[in-house]
């Protein structure tokens, strides 16, 4: 997948609203593989909706979203399985960890599907993000910031053309923001992937990213 395009797209809940000033909604926008984008938003402007639309979780929008020119509304279940396994790595805002599983088990659930990272690779990611001592802790017992780091590690355990991140550093301090940005940038460079990260005020600290106002 080389390009994600939004053409005159608008959440249906916004239909009829006047004065929508956005560089995404009701615009023609192209997000290219290999590039980095920060989608800067105010609360309630639809950043999580945008991510859900791109990932195929929701279709309550007008206009079109396309992958390499193909309207995603035409994709089959098999197509979406392929997209989610090989083309788009997604971190939702709510992280969606299983609280009854340990941190490492949450990561391994995905990695067993992809066989993308070795256990040594995963252990190194836990070490870099300062949670090496939390691998065997239940996700429900971790702080929100620790859970966010586990979810980021899980997101990186697959091949992809785009890394889609909804508020990836909302619960992290400056140092962990820097570490996460480095890991995401390095993984994107290894795979030639694009990065699309949303935020409300507190940005992922990626260099050379194009800022788009939602």
């Amino acid at each position: 997948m080389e390009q994600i395009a939004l053409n005159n797209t608008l959440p249906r809940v916004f239909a009829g609203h006047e004065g929508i000033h956005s560089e995404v909604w009701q615009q023609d926008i192209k997000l290219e593989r290999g590039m980095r984008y920060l989608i800067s938003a105010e609360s309630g402007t639809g950043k999580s909706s945008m991510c859900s639309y791109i990932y195929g979780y929701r279709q309550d929008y007008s206009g079109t979203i396309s992958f390499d020119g193909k309207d995603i509304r035409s994709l089959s279940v098999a197509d979406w399985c392929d997209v989610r396994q090989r083309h788009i790595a997604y971190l939702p805002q709510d992280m969606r960890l299983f609280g009854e599983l340990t941190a490492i088990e949450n990561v391994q659930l995905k990695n067993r599907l992809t066989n993308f990272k070795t256990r040594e690779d995963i252990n190194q990611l836990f070490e870099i993000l300062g949670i090496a001592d939390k691998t065997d802790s239940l996700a429900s017992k971790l702080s929100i910031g620790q859970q966010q780091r586990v979810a980021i590690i899980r997101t990186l355990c697959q091949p992809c053309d785009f890394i889609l991140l909804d508020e990836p550093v909302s619960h992290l301090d400056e140092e962990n923001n820097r570490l996460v940005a480095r890991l995401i940038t390095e993984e994107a460079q290894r795979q030639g992937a694009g990065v699309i990260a949303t935020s409300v005020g507190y940005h992922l600290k990626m260099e050379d990213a194009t800022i788009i106002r939602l």
Side-chain angles (χ1 to χ4, degrees), residues 61-102:
Y61 60 89
S62 59
T64 61
I65 299 174
S66 60
F67 298 157
D68 294 340
K70 184 174 183 178
D71 190 333
I72 65 173
R73 285 194 175 103
S74 70
L75 298 182
S76 66
V77 171
D79 290 334
W80 277 115
C81 288
D82 182 60
V83 165
R84 292 166 184 167
Q85 278 193 300
R86 301 196 303 118
H87 298 290
I88 299 179
Y90 177 39
L91 173 68
Q93 183 182 359
D94 61 7
M95 298 177 279
R96 298 181 190 173
L97 296 177
F98 293 95
E100 69 275 18
L101 300 181
T102 65

Side-chain angles (χ1 to χ4, degrees), residues 7 17 30 34 47 53 66 77 80 82 89 94 100 107 111 129-130 134-135 138 141 144 170 173 175 181 191 193 213:
N7 301 106
H17 287 211
K30 296 178 181 179
K47 62 173 185 54
Y53 298 157
S66 60
V77 171
W80 277 115
D82 182 60
D94 61 7
E100 69 275 18
V107 173
N111 199 60
L129 292 182
K134 302 298 182 182
T135 55
L138 292 178
K141 301 298 183 183
I144 296 298
S170 57
D173 58 23
E175 177 61 15
Q191 300 199 49
R213 308 291 180 183

Side-chain angles (χ1 to χ4, degrees), residues 21 32 69 84 164 169 189 197:
H21 302 288
E32 306 284 351
R84 292 166 184 167
L164 178 62
V169 294
Q189 289 174 339

Side-chain angles (χ1 to χ4, degrees), residues 9 11 18 21 38 43 65 90 95 113 126 136-137 150 156-157 182 188 200:
T9 307
E18 296 182 1
H21 302 288
L38 289 173
S43 295
I65 299 174
Y90 177 39
M95 298 177 279
L113 293 173
F126 273 87
D136 295 322
S137 298
V150 171
L156 297 180
C157 287
R182 190 191 95 198
V200 177

Side-chain angles (χ1 to χ4, degrees), residues 47-53 55 57-58 84 88-98 110 144 147-156 158 163-171 196-198:
K47 62 173 185 54
S48 293
S49 295
M50 184 198 73
C51 293
S52 293
Y53 298 157
Y55 204 61
Y57 279 166
R58 292 169 51 188
R84 292 166 184 167
I88 299 179
Y90 177 39
L91 173 68
Q93 183 182 359
D94 61 7
M95 298 177 279
R96 298 181 190 173
L97 296 177
F98 293 95
K110 179 172 222 179
I144 296 298
Q147 290 179 23
Q148 195 162 48
R149 281 173 274 173
V150 171
I152 288 164
I153 293 170
R154 181 191 59 190
T155 300
L156 297 180
Q158 71 169 88
I163 304 173
L164 178 62
L165 309 159
D166 192 5
E167 289 204 65
V169 294
S170 57
H171 302 289
I196 306 166
T198 74

